Amino acid sequence: MALALGLGGAALSEPIAGVGLGDSLMAGYQLGPGEAFPEKLEAALRAEGFDVTIANAGVSGDTTAGGLARLDWSVPEGTDFVILELGANDALRGITPELTRENLDRMIERLKARDIDVILAGMLAPPNMGGDYAERFNPIYADLAADHDLPLHGFFLDGAIADPALMLDDGMHPNAAGVDRMVEGFLPLMRDYLAAREN
């Protein structure tokens, strides 16, 4: 028995463990089991032969301050990478963009200190917040990606939000087909990241 266990352990390697840390867009607001972004992204990557798991640590309504407060228990030991998707609720609530930037920066620093890779999912300010707010908010993600040398997906809802057929009736959250479109857009970044890990 011990021999069999030993051989089995030697033959098996641990999958690359990821966490999707975000808000309702990550959590899968009003979607069914298996329809949220982390689950669908994991399934798409596994279909391409990548041995990866992506846990869903999305919390509806979460802000960057909320994400920072729960970071340590939301991202367990043994995590290899985090897809960091927060900031949409900051913008909806009119939170000062400089504070959003500071919270994201602190999360990135804390994850890097734990040797956890960060993949940044960007957000854009809603048009009703006005031009001044957008000018301060929208560059946050590209700036942080450049500062920390992170992979960046410029706009998490890209490919879905412009098509009402891919959104829920609230016009703010993707439906299951919208998540499929978002996953399509995110896959090239993930392929590059995972391929680089293997080399």
Side-chain angles (χ1 to χ4, degrees), residues 20-162:
L21 182 69
D23 49 37
S24 56
L25 300 176
M26 187 70 74
Y29 178 74
Q30 290 193 356
L31 299 178
E35 292 184 339
F37 181 85
E39 290 87 341
K40 287 200 168 192
L41 180 61
E42 176 186 312
L45 289 167
R46 284 188 164 274
E48 295 187 6
F50 292 104
D51 188 13
V52 62
T53 63
I54 305 176
N56 191 336
V59 173
S60 292
D62 215 3
T63 60
T64 56
L68 179 61
R70 68 182 176 93
L71 182 67
D72 292 335
W73 61 263
S74 293
V75 181
E77 291 303 316
T79 298
D80 295 304
F81 70 89
V82 165
I83 300 171
L84 180 56
E85 176 275 311
L86 283 167
N89 288 310
D90 293 49
L92 288 171
R93 298 180 189 188
I95 291 171
T96 303
E98 290 73 23
L99 181 57
T100 299
R101 181 189 296 263
E102 179 183 337
N103 290 335
L104 288 167
D105 188 62
R106 289 174 65 189
M107 280 187 271
I108 293 165
E109 290 284 6
R110 280 167 58 174
L111 290 167
K112 288 173 67 176
R114 294 172 58 189
D115 292 322
I116 296 172
D117 295 332
V118 179
I119 298 163
L120 196 55
M123 190 50 57
L124 297 173
N128 65 325
M129 293 305 297
D132 176 66
Y133 189 91
E135 285 178 12
R136 293 157 58 209
F137 182 92
N138 292 349
I140 289 173
Y141 300 88
D143 289 349
L144 288 173
D147 290 346
H148 293 282
D149 193 23
L150 305 179
L152 170 67
H153 183 72
F155 182 39
F156 192 56
L157 284 166
D158 192 33
I161 198 166

